[in-house]
């Protein structure tokens, strides 16, 4: 098992932070700060809770005047790089919402070393028009981390972050930013644009379908952004998107010899296999997926689609073999009961079977 990310917050990290802050603020009580950070409830806190707790602890030991405190953190924060230092922009999120100018400058600075993608969202909610104008300015920054913030910070469904319900309802303020960044020289930035598009597609699929038609064919980099941004629509088998990427209805295909275990125990793997055949000269361009209809806590089933392969298949037959693990993971809880497996080709379900998870 990999080490939990929350364990990055070691005493060595906090000691290093205290030493750097003390260089800019002699009155800083390093011992008191360390004692407060690693208080009685520290071991109960998860990753984001630890980030927030460090921000709150800094507030107790820095000048109470926000401008003075943030200047110290800007000077000290330049020495620390990595997502674990998101407690710096977290300080801005907690204590700087009413000090717009100082906070925007601080968020721009901190994102170069960690990321301000979470911290910027309360500012978007409170100052939406003003902030989206700022995001457009950031989209033209010389620093790729700042450009990424322009896209990542306004994602309607950014994981682990405060929701932006206005953008779920109407994503139009986001689109000029994505248009500016779709062909960015940084893959890191382009991936953020694609993830933002994918977020939008979940609430406003027609907006993303229109963008896909307009952007596809611009450059190879933009084509990648469009396809990655349409991944949910592809998994949903959205006909217009399926066709846009060159996948035809698989009327010429047949599934043979679909084999699957009838039961699997928690912690084990489900194995299945099948063959695709055609009477034509070749199978053609295929996007092969499988969906698992997972049993939920309430007994109902909910499908999640997994990609198997995507390629131009020149032969008349293709054998597919797959194992799906039911080992315990942090992102999904499994419940015993009758599950389903569906074989999906080019967005169309061609076969299905059931199995018992015990």
């Amino acid at each position: 098992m990999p080490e939990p990310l929350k364990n990055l917050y070691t005493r060595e990290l906090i000691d290093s932070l205290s030493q750097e802050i003390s260089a800019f603020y002699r009155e800083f009580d390093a011992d008191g700060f360390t004692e407060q950070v690693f208080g009685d409830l520290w071991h109960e806190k998860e990753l984001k809770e630890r980030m927030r707790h460090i921000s709150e602890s800094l507030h107790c030991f820095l000048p109470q005047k926000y401008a003075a405190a943030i200047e110290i953190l800007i000077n000290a924060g330049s020495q620390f790089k990595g997502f674990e230092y998101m407690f710096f922009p977290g300080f801005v999120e907690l204590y700087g919402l009413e000090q717009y100018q100082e906070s925007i400058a601080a968020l721009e600075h901190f994102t170069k070393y960690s990321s301000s993608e979470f911290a910027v969202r309360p500012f978007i909610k409170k100052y939406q028009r003003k902030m989206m104008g700022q995001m457009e300015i950031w989209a033209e920054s010389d620093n790729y981390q700042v450009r990424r913030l322009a896209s990542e910070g306004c994602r309607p469904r950014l994981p682990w972050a405060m929701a932006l319900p206005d953008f779920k309802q109407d994503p139009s303020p986001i689109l000029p930013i994505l248009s500016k960044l779709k062909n960015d020289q940084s893959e890191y930035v382009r991936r953020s644009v694609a993830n933002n598009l994918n977020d939008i597609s979940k609430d406003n699929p027609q907006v993303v379908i229109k963008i896909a038609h307009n952007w596809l064919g611009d450059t190879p980099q933009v084509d990648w952004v469009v396809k990655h941004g349409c991944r949910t629509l592809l998994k949903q088998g959205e006909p217009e998107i399926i066709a846009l990427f060159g996948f035809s209805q698989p009327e010429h295909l047949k599934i043979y010899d679909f084999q699957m275990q009838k039961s699997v125990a928690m912690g084990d793997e489900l194995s299945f296999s099948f063959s695709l055949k055609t009477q034509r000269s070749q199978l053609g361009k295929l996007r092969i997926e499988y969906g698992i209809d997972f049993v939920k806590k309430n007994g109902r089933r909910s499908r999640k689609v997994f990609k198997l392969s995507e390629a131009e298949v020149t032969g008349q037959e293709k054998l597919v073999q797959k194992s799906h693990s039911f080992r315990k993971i942090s992102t999904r809880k499994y419940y015993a009961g009758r599950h389903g497996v569906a074989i999906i080709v080019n967005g169309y379900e061609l076969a299905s079977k059931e199995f018992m998870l015990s």
Side-chain angles (χ1 to χ4, degrees):
M1 288 286 289
E3 184 77 8
L5 293 174
K6 66 180 181 180
N7 291 346
L8 288 169
Y9 296 111
T10 61
R11 288 189 177 270
E12 289 77 13
L13 185 150
I14 296 301
D15 288 345
S16 179
L17 174 64
S18 297
Q19 183 177 354
E20 194 64 33
I21 290 175
S22 297
F24 297 97
Y25 181 48
R26 293 181 180 179
E27 292 81 5
F28 188 71
D29 181 0
D31 291 338
F33 172 65
T34 301
E35 184 178 350
Q36 178 152 326
V37 167
F38 296 109
D40 293 339
L41 300 178
W42 174 255
H43 293 290
E44 298 178 13
K45 298 182 187 298
E46 295 302 323
L47 177 63
K48 282 203 71 181
E49 293 174 310
R50 290 186 176 188
M51 286 181 181
R52 184 182 179 95
H53 177 62
I54 295 170
S55 299
E56 292 171 337
S57 299
L58 284 169
H59 185 250
C60 296
F61 291 88
L62 289 172
Q64 292 306 291
K65 187 177 179 182
Y66 176 75
I70 206 63
E71 182 178 358
I72 293 166
L73 292 181
I74 286 174
N75 287 325
S78 303
Q79 304 304 311
F80 303 98
K81 190 169 184 178
F83 87 94
E84 62 267 36
Y85 298 103
M86 288 174 72
F87 54 75
F88 285 115
F91 186 94
V92 179
E93 176 183 1
L94 289 173
Y95 306 109
L97 194 57
E98 303 303 324
Q99 287 78 33
Y100 181 85
Q101 295 297 340
E102 297 97 326
S103 293
I104 295 310
L107 290 175
E108 180 176 344
H109 175 80
F110 289 135
T111 208
K112 298 173 183 178
Y113 303 94
S114 55
S115 178
S116 297
E117 63 196 67
F118 296 156
V120 77
R121 295 169 80 82
F123 291 85
I124 294 174
K125 290 192 75 171
K126 185 175 177 65
Y127 312 99
Q128 185 180 122
R129 185 183 297 273
K130 197 174 184 180
M131 272 306 303
M132 294 311 288
Q134 179 63 53
M135 303 287 260
E136 288 199 51
I137 294 172
W138 282 341
E140 297 178 352
S141 170
D142 291 337
N143 185 283
Y144 76 97
Q145 295 275 21
V146 176
R147 297 197 304 275
R148 178 184 179 270
L149 176 61
S151 169
E152 196 73 6
C154 63
R155 283 178 58 181
R157 291 172 168 264
L158 181 64
W160 293 8
M162 173 188 292
L164 295 177
D166 286 355
F167 292 165
K168 288 183 183 180
Q169 183 174 353
D170 176 16
S172 58
I174 303 173
L175 304 185
I177 294 167
L178 302 188
S179 183
K180 283 185 178 183
L181 296 174
K182 67 181 187 293
N183 203 24
D184 195 90
Q185 62 186 11
S186 166
E187 181 183 350
Y188 191 45
V189 175
R190 297 195 303 271
R191 184 173 293 275
S192 175
V193 173
N195 288 337
N196 201 321
L197 281 177
N198 190 55
D199 280 6
I200 294 170
S201 75
K202 296 174 183 179
D203 301 295
N204 297 273
Q206 290 303 318
V207 171
V208 176
I209 291 170
K210 183 178 180 180
I211 287 173
H213 279 286
N214 290 338
W215 289 6
L216 201 63
D218 188 350
T219 67
Q221 290 80 11
V222 174
D223 287 353
W224 182 91
V225 167
V226 172
K227 190 166 186 183
H228 199 59
C230 290
R231 63 188 182 272
T232 292
L233 296 177
L234 283 165
K235 286 184 176 183
Q236 291 171 345
E238 208 295 322
E240 197 169 347
I241 290 296
I242 290 287
L244 183 63
F245 289 105
F247 301 106
S248 61
Q249 187 171 343
E251 297 173 318
H252 64 295
L253 297 182
K254 298 291 183 184
I255 285 187
Y256 290 90
D257 201 23
F258 183 6
Q259 302 289 331
M260 187 175 73
Q261 297 165 238
K262 292 183 178 180
S263 64
V264 63
M266 296 279 191
D268 289 344
E269 291 188 341
L270 174 76
S271 296
F272 60 93
S273 64
F274 59 92
S275 291
L276 289 171
K277 295 182 181 181
T278 183
Q279 295 298 318
R280 296 182 182 177
S281 60
Q282 60 182 36
L283 288 165
K285 188 174 183 180
L286 301 183
R287 178 183 174 91
I288 306 173
E289 300 167 300
Y290 69 99
I292 295 189
D293 298 321
F294 290 101
V295 173
K296 300 194 295 183
K297 187 177 182 180
N298 61 11
R300 296 180 180 178
R301 301 204 301 196
S302 176
R303 177 171 292 184
K304 182 170 177 57
V305 176
F306 303 88
K307 185 177 173 183
L308 283 166
S309 65
E310 182 179 306
E312 189 79 34
V313 183
T314 57
Q316 291 182 300
E317 183 175 352
K318 180 178 176 66
L319 172 65
V320 179
Q321 297 175 308
K322 177 64 181 177
S323 293
H324 186 94
S325 174
F326 282 89
R327 289 193 300 270
K328 184 178 179 180
I329 56 175
S330 60
T331 54
R332 179 176 296 276
K333 185 172 177 61
Y334 298 117
Y335 297 94
R338 189 165 294 281
H339 292 52
V341 171
I343 306 304
I344 303 165
V345 180
N346 293 1
Y348 291 85
E349 181 177 326
L350 299 187
S352 64
K353 283 182 179 288
E354 292 189 335
F355 67 95
M356 184 64 71
L357 178 64
S358 61

